[in-house]
Amino acid sequence: MAAPASAAGFGGMTSDNAKGLALAVSSSAFIGASFIVKKLGLKRAADSGVRAGYGGYSYLVEPLWWIGMISMIVGEIANFAAYAFAPAILVTPLGALSIIISAALAHSILQEKLHTFGILGCALCVVGSITIALHAPPERDIDSVREVWDLATEPAFLSYAAIVVAAALVLIYFVVPQHGQTNIMVYIGVCSLLGSLTVMSVKALGIALKLTFSGVNQLFYPQTWAFALIVATCVSTQINYLNKALDTFNTAVVSPIYYVMFTSLTIIASVIMFKDWDRQNPTQIVTEMCGFVTILSGTFLLHKTKDMNDSTGPTLSTRRPKHACQNAYAIEILPLKCQDSVDEETLPLSLPKADNHYLMEELPLRYKDLNIS
């Protein structure tokens, strides 16, 4: 049911939606920064132990990783609160702001260069986020966590949840061992699939706590604790595979792809479970979808131009045949794989002879880093 006119704020936004918007924006700031800080911690941990991408957990004793983790937790708490006030179709797409922050910090701190078109992509993300924020549906009136449980146990959402869990298990047990280190979609797929279930459960918990703080105790209901168990299980799995993705692939590529998959699946889950679009007219729905497509366009630009610079265009990545000879004039160029995670199977691409002078200056350091004799 729509909020009364007296509760409307800027652009017709309800007061609850405005609170959710403010919390979602602050959440994006903390989460965007956490990607970079955690990546720095993972790099340090890799120098003294087994990399997270290869099953190591040395990052758990790295203070910098914990700082990033705390930043992410603060961001997730703000995000958690946002879901208690606003629908997922508003809160989740605003995660695009964390991509902008992550890309900007990766550019300045991790030296992962941001192309001019990447800046345009950031602008598109902002425009799309504003469009969705101004046309989001009002929050559904719910008086008990049992109402949320009834929505979650309807046949349509149960079917969705079963498909998601089955797909995640197939990825974890059959696809990750074979393709986790080479295909960025594998780790991110696990995170995104379980993430959509996490958001629905987080929203249920947020509603339960909101009602409890307002004087209607929801902690006595077993449904509240069932949602809490789902959140704990899904989040712990997401953190594990997100760490693997960050340690194996480029941060500025992981962030937008994770955003696109996670947001798309979350919107689908929210539409199925909370029936967000039942409270909107076709014009509002189409406008929201246009805003979401605008955000997708921005993340696509960020992804496709990540390894371009303003003068030379895109670079490529390849793999070396097992018996290939060493190239005396070569430099590693790895757009997806992190440059600090190169193994003996990675072949640097040859560059034009005009660059040989530059390459000869770089060659000793590169070969020393790669332990090539």
Side-chain angles (χ1 to χ4, degrees):
M1 182 174 66
S6 60
F10 175 73
M13 182 183 297
T14 66
S15 59
D16 276 355
N17 276 14
K19 293 175 184 176
L21 174 64
L23 288 166
V25 170
S26 62
S27 168
S28 294
F30 281 104
I31 292 175
S34 75
F35 275 104
I36 306 305
V37 180
K38 287 174 67 179
K39 181 64 176 283
L40 291 173
L42 289 170
K43 283 187 173 183
R44 287 189 180 181
D47 294 335
S48 58
V50 180
R51 304 180 64 93
Y54 290 93
Y57 295 94
S58 58
Y59 60 85
L60 293 176
V61 295
E62 174 53 52
L64 196 58
W65 183 86
W66 280 107
I67 293 174
M69 192 63 195
I70 291 172
S71 177
M72 177 169 280
I73 291 172
V74 172
E76 293 296 349
I77 291 174
N79 203 41
F80 179 97
Y83 283 113
F85 291 98
I89 202 169
L90 165 62
V91 176
T92 306
L94 292 179
L97 301 179
S98 68
I99 296 176
I100 298 173
I101 294 171
S102 179
L105 292 178
H107 174 80
S108 59
I109 297 176
L110 299 180
Q111 304 304 314
E112 297 176 358
K113 300 303 180 182
L114 185 62
H115 189 266
T116 302
F117 285 119
I119 298 175
L120 175 60
C122 292
L124 288 173
C125 289
V126 172
V127 171
S129 297
I130 293 174
T131 301
I132 291 177
L134 294 179
H135 295 85
E139 175 68 322
R140 184 188 187 106
D141 288 335
I142 295 178
D143 299 322
S144 170
V145 71
R146 288 181 296 181
E147 292 183 36
V148 185
W149 183 263
D150 290 340
L151 293 171
T153 53
E154 289 185 356
F157 188 75
L158 283 179
S159 299
Y160 171 82
I163 292 172
V164 165
V165 171
L169 290 175
V170 168
L171 286 175
I172 291 172
Y173 290 105
F174 298 101
V175 182
V176 166
Q178 298 295 325
H179 305 288
Q181 291 292 315
T182 57
N183 191 327
I184 192 173
M185 302 301 291
V186 177
Y187 290 146
I188 296 179
V190 175
C191 294
S192 301
L193 287 166
L194 296 180
S196 65
L197 298 183
T198 301
V199 168
M200 297 303 100
S201 299
V202 162
K203 184 167 181 63
L205 279 179
I207 291 172
L209 292 176
K210 178 183 175 183
L211 291 171
T212 298
F213 293 145
S214 66
V216 184
N217 196 338
Q218 302 293 305
L219 300 182
F220 293 117
Y221 294 118
Q223 291 90 339
T224 300
W225 301 104
F227 283 124
L229 179 61
I230 294 171
V231 169
T233 302
C234 292
V235 167
S236 60
T237 306
Q238 284 179 258
I239 291 174
N240 183 36
Y241 285 95
L242 183 58
N243 280 331
K244 292 177 182 293
L246 286 172
D247 189 55
T248 306
F249 302 100
N250 192 310
T251 305
V253 176
V254 170
S255 299
I257 295 178
Y258 179 43
Y259 166 80
V260 170
M261 293 183 64
F262 169 71
T263 304
S264 299
L265 290 169
T266 298
I267 289 177
I268 292 172
S270 182
V271 168
I272 295 173
M273 180 171 169
F274 289 98
K275 302 175 177 61
D276 293 325
W277 286 347
D278 289 354
R279 306 187 297 280
Q280 292 188 288
N281 59 49
T283 301
Q284 291 174 313
I285 295 173
V286 170
T287 303
E288 285 176 2
M289 289 300 96
C290 288
F292 183 52
V293 170
T294 302
I295 295 175
L296 293 184
S297 301
T299 55
F300 176 79
L301 274 178
L302 280 171
H303 172 48
K304 296 301 290 184
T305 62
K306 172 60 193 71
D307 298 289
M308 294 174 62
N309 58 58
D310 290 323
S311 60
T312 62
T315 59
L316 300 174
S317 176
T318 187
R319 307 288 291 180
R320 182 181 65 184
K322 291 186 176 180
H323 302 292
C325 61
Q326 305 290 351
N327 189 335
Y329 301 102
I331 183 172
E332 63 170 309
I333 304 175
L334 298 172
L336 281 181
K337 296 282 291 229
C338 297
Q339 290 198 7
D340 58 328
S341 63
V342 180
D343 55 28
E344 292 184 356
E345 294 297 316
T346 304
L347 171 65
L349 286 182
S350 299
L351 295 182
K353 291 183 178 179
D355 294 331
N356 283 352
H357 176 69
Y358 167 77
L359 295 176
M360 289 300 291
E361 294 177 349
E362 292 291 315
L363 187 61
L365 178 60
R366 293 289 184 179
Y367 271 41
K368 181 179 179 180
D369 290 343
L370 293 174
N371 295 320
I372 295 176
S373 56

